[in-house]
């Protein structure tokens, strides 16, 4: 398998001397084109995905060729050793974006040759099966990280937190709060974390110290990447780390996380988070729960004070109360809530009605399901429609939002139901030669259907029949209109009760 250096030289051509010899042999007329030296020939955006790369290559040559690279895409290669990844990155001092998706990087992270990568802002690790202990170590090495992708890694729990698991367990045992949900043990854990930090800003807990020095993850972290599996049926303890104030965007699409209490750990680790993508995660509710599955009194939005965008598409949420919890996020303005079980059982019959109910319940949301910005007119219409929706409901079914909107718009009268659709059944006079009868006609039928029915009444074959429509109000102005087209629907002629249709037999030519 090629090294990164070999893949780079294969994709971006031969050495300059070899190219010049080739040109002199084949081309009679040469045009002078200034040529960049080898160290500058590599583009700032370097894409080497699906090249079977498994290692870095010659360090000195790599350093010369890749020193200006700012964006590196190594997705779907054969990298499985973090040491090789760090060697590559150590020779790219300007790199800001790295995509390592679909490389099997489950192995432990040992102490890298570079202590920190100060320019790396965007790291994509989708479908790498990366363990949480490795995530914790990477966060300490990437102080400038702003966007992190951990989708499709088969996580069932979020095994990273700012709370000391042992302190949280002691607090839970003493009745001060739950460990996983961040109850009474949070303050003690935070104080322990801050007091135990060493001079380099790394947590001094035995858990993280031992794993960094040994280069291996505890068994519980390894098992956490297997769906529906944990140590002895009990949720493994999270790794304690310091909050990372730089990360603004986190993608966890397609993992198996089902409890909002796990997502609260994300909020504690990334307190400045602005965008959180949880699409295709089987979340059942936005109410935090403790490790035993019991609901606790924590607020869903407590650790997401800066969150502006939240994607919950394809969640397993089936409660309007969770929509009301979304309204409590202080900065949330953009949400995706598509394909929920709730929508399958809602009593709204159209997507427009559902959108109105959501807009009315979410007063701070400006973008819903990727649509246009919600304007003042649309919001007012939605809120008025929401009030009328609950007018006939009993008090116990009316949400708190209903009474808030009554204070704004007052108690509205029901809308008058005016049906502007055309009549479906009309009485039409049919005339054939000296015979005339009245029949009720369904205007949703076609001309061909009408001829088939008249065939039995007037004994004229449908294929030999001509129909002429006579409007009772415009008989003298426009005369007869032949109904030529067999698949044309009758209502398109604006037929009303009292009109006439004249039947003639086609003359054989």
């Amino acid at each position: 398998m090629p090294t990164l250096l070999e893949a780079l030289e294969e994709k971006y051509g031969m050495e300059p001397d070899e190219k010049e010899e080739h040109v002199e042999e084949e081309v009679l007329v040469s045009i002078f084109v200034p040529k960049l030296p080898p160290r500058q020939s590599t583009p700032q955006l370097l894409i080497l995905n699906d090249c079977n790369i498994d290692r870095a290559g010659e360090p000195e040559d790599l350093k010369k060729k890749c020193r200006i690279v700012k964006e590196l895409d190594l997705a779907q290669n054969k990298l499985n050793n973090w040491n090789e990844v760090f060697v590559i990155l150590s020779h790219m001092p300007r790199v800001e974006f790295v995509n390592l998706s679909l490389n099997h990087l489950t192995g432990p992270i040992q102490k890298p040759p570079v202590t920190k990568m100060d320019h790396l802002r965007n790291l994509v690790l989708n479908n790498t099966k990366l363990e949480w202990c490795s995530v914790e170590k990477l966060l300490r090495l990437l102080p400038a990280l702003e966007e992190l992708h951990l989708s499709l890694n088969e996580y069932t729990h979020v095994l990273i937190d700012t709370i000391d698991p042992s302190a949280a367990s002691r607090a839970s045992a003493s009745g001060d709060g739950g460990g996983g949900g961040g109850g009474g043990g949070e303050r003690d854990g935070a104080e322990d974390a801050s007091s135990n930090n060493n001079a380099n800003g790394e947590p001094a807990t035995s858990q993280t110290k031992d794993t960094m020095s040994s280069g291996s993850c505890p068994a519980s972290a390894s098992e956490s990447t297997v769906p529906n599996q944990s140590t002895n049926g009990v949720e493994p303890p999270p790794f304690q780390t310091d909050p990372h104030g730089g990360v603004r965007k986190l993608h966890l699409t397609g993992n198996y996380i089902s409890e909002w209490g796990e997502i609260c750990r994300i909020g504690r680790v990334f307190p400045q988070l602005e965008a959180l993508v949880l699409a295709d995660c089987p979340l059942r509710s936005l109410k935090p729960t403790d490790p035993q599955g019991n609901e606790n009194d924590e607020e869903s939005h407590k650790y997401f004070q800066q969150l502006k965008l939240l994607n919950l598409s394809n969640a397993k949420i089936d409660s309007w109360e969770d929509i009301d919890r979304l309204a409590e996020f202080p900065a949330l303005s953009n949400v995706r809530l598509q394909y929920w079980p709730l929508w399958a059982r809602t009593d709204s019959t159209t997507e427009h009605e559902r959108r109105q109910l959501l807009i009315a319940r979410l007063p701070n949301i400006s973008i819903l399901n990727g649509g246009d910005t919600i304007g003042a007119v649309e919001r007012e219409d939605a809120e008025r429609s929401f009030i009328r929706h609950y007018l006939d409901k009993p008090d116990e079914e009316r949400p708190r939002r209903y009474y808030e909107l009554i204070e704004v718009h007052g108690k509205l009268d029901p809308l008058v139901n005016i049906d502007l659709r055309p009549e479906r059944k009309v009485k039409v006079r049919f005339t054939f030669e000296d015979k005339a009868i009245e029949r009720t006609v369904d205007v949703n039928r076609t001309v061909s259907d009408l001829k088939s029915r008249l065939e039995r009444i007037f004994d004229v074959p449908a294929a030999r029949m001509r129909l002429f429509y006579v409007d009772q109000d415009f008989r003298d102005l426009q005369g007869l209109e032949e109904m030529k087209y067999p698949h044309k629907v009758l209502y398109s002629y604006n037929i009303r009760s009292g009109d006439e249709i004249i039947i003639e037999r086609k003359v054989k030519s």
Side-chain angles (χ1 to χ4, degrees):
M1 286 183 282
T3 65
L4 185 145
L5 189 61
E6 291 169 346
L8 175 63
E9 291 174 350
E10 181 179 351
K11 181 170 183 176
Y12 292 96
M14 300 175 292
E15 292 298 319
D17 293 340
E18 297 175 358
K19 278 188 157 183
E20 287 170 3
E21 291 175 4
H22 184 72
V23 170
E24 289 175 358
E25 291 175 2
E26 301 294 334
V27 182
L28 297 177
V29 179
S30 60
I31 300 173
F32 174 74
V33 178
K35 192 177 294 294
L36 295 173
R39 67 181 181 85
Q40 295 179 353
S41 61
T42 304
Q44 291 186 351
L45 171 58
L46 180 57
I47 301 175
L48 293 172
N49 51 11
D50 199 14
C51 293
N52 290 319
I53 297 168
D54 65 341
R55 59 193 187 281
E58 184 61 35
E60 288 303 317
D61 292 342
L62 194 63
K63 184 176 181 179
K64 291 178 182 179
K65 289 183 178 291
C66 298
R67 60 187 302 175
I68 67 167
V69 172
K70 288 189 175 181
E71 298 185 37
L72 175 64
D73 188 348
L74 291 177
Q76 204 167 348
N77 280 290
K78 304 299 182 182
L79 293 166
N80 59 9
N81 189 321
W82 274 103
N83 287 339
E84 291 295 327
V85 174
F86 288 132
V87 168
I88 292 170
L89 298 182
S90 67
H91 298 309
M92 300 180 183
R94 300 184 185 180
V95 70
E96 298 178 358
F97 170 92
V98 176
N99 184 3
L100 296 170
S101 297
L102 293 164
N103 287 279
H104 197 66
L105 292 168
T106 58
I109 295 179
Q110 298 178 354
K111 194 70 175 178
V114 288
T115 55
K116 288 185 178 180
M117 287 157 276
D118 295 333
H119 290 88
L120 187 58
R121 302 180 187 281
N122 193 320
L123 181 59
V124 185
L125 297 168
N126 297 333
N127 206 352
T128 58
K129 308 303 181 284
L130 188 71
E131 297 173 347
W132 282 109
C133 65
S134 298
V135 175
E136 191 269 338
K137 293 169 189 173
L138 285 173
L139 292 176
R140 289 190 280 150
L141 296 170
L142 303 173
L145 190 65
E146 296 178 358
E147 184 168 345
L148 179 60
H149 295 247
L150 295 172
S151 299
L152 300 170
N153 281 333
E154 300 183 1
Y155 298 139
T156 57
H157 300 89
V158 177
L159 298 184
I160 187 170
D161 206 335
T162 59
I163 296 174
D164 183 354
S166 59
S169 299
R170 291 194 301 270
S172 178
S174 64
D176 291 337
E186 181 187 355
R187 184 182 174 193
D188 295 337
E191 290 173 355
D192 290 345
S194 61
S195 62
N196 289 335
N197 283 355
N198 59 25
N200 295 325
E202 298 177 355
T205 60
S206 59
Q207 191 174 31
T208 54
K209 271 188 172 181
D210 294 342
T211 54
M212 178 59 90
S213 60
S214 65
S216 62
C217 292
S220 61
S222 176
E223 291 169 356
S224 70
T225 60
V226 181
N228 303 319
Q229 186 175 352
S230 60
T231 306
N232 298 325
V234 179
E235 175 190 344
F239 296 91
Q240 183 194 357
T241 188
D242 287 336
H244 194 295
V247 173
R248 300 291 194 273
K249 298 179 182 179
L250 178 65
H251 293 250
L252 283 169
T253 297
N255 286 293
Y256 304 124
I257 303 166
S258 60
E259 301 298 334
W260 190 254
E262 300 294 317
I263 304 302
C264 288
R265 292 175 178 166
I266 292 292
R268 289 194 286 268
V269 175
F270 305 118
Q272 301 300 317
L273 200 63
E274 296 179 0
L276 179 57
V277 180
L278 299 170
D280 300 324
C281 293
L283 287 162
R284 295 175 293 189
S285 175
L286 298 182
K287 182 69 174 174
T289 56
D290 60 23
Q292 288 72 40
N294 302 314
E295 291 187 357
N296 61 33
D297 295 331
E298 263 192 341
E299 297 173 326
S300 303
H301 61 278
K302 180 177 180 179
Y303 304 106
F304 300 96
Q305 298 299 304
Q306 309 299 324
L307 193 66
K308 298 177 182 177
L309 182 150
L310 180 60
N311 187 337
L312 293 171
S313 293
N314 274 316
K316 302 301 181 185
I317 296 174
D318 194 20
S319 168
W320 282 105
E321 286 74 15
D322 287 312
I323 300 296
D324 296 334
R325 291 186 182 106
L326 284 175
E328 297 174 358
F329 285 66
L332 192 62
S333 60
N334 186 344
V335 293
R336 283 185 177 268
L337 312 173
Q338 296 163 300
Y339 314 115
W340 284 11
L342 177 61
W343 312 140
R345 69 171 183 81
T346 184
D347 52 3
S348 298
T349 56
T350 68
E351 189 171 342
H352 174 69
E353 291 172 334
R354 184 191 310 157
R355 178 178 172 85
Q356 285 191 318
L357 290 174
L358 285 170
I359 290 173
R361 281 186 183 255
L362 299 170
N364 299 324
I365 298 302
S366 58
I367 299 177
L368 176 62
N369 293 332
D372 293 334
T373 301
I374 300 170
V377 174
E378 183 181 11
R379 179 165 294 283
E380 183 175 347
D381 289 345
E383 290 174 351
R384 289 177 173 273
S385 176
F386 184 84
I387 292 173
R388 292 190 172 98
H389 178 81
Y390 284 98
L391 276 178
D392 298 329
K393 308 284 185 185
D395 285 343
E396 59 270 15
E397 292 185 19
R398 290 173 177 171
R400 182 181 61 186
R401 184 64 178 157
Y402 170 81
Y403 299 101
E404 293 174 354
L405 292 176
I406 289 289
E407 294 293 324
V408 177
H409 301 289
K411 194 167 183 179
L412 306 177
D413 295 327
L415 292 175
V416 179
N417 186 17
I418 301 176
D419 190 355
L420 299 177
R421 292 175 298 180
E423 291 181 271
R424 182 177 175 183
K425 304 279 189 179
V426 296
K427 272 195 172 183
V428 178
R429 179 184 177 86
F430 292 95
T431 303
F432 175 65
E433 296 177 348
D434 58 349
K435 184 178 180 182
I437 61 173
E438 276 193 355
R439 287 287 187 274
T440 300
V441 176
D442 186 344
V443 296
N444 289 318
R445 293 183 176 274
T446 63
V447 172
S448 177
D449 292 336
L450 179 61
K451 285 183 177 181
S452 297
R453 295 188 65 191
L454 295 175
E455 183 179 37
R456 298 190 294 269
I457 299 174
F458 294 102
D459 196 25
V460 179
R464 300 284 307 278
M465 190 182 296
R466 297 178 69 188
L467 302 181
F468 296 89
Y469 168 62
V470 182
D471 189 313
Q472 58 187 320
D473 295 330
F474 300 98
R475 177 188 297 268
D476 298 331
L477 294 177
Q478 63 184 30
L480 309 180
E481 179 181 359
E482 185 171 0
M483 304 170 76
K484 296 181 181 179
Y485 306 105
H487 298 296
K488 191 170 182 178
V489 184
L490 296 178
Y491 68 70
S492 62
Y493 291 95
N494 295 319
I495 296 178
R496 294 168 299 152
S497 293
D499 290 345
E500 182 181 6
I501 293 178
I502 298 174
I503 304 163
E504 289 187 0
R505 191 190 301 267
K506 288 183 181 178
V507 179
K508 291 183 178 180
S509 56

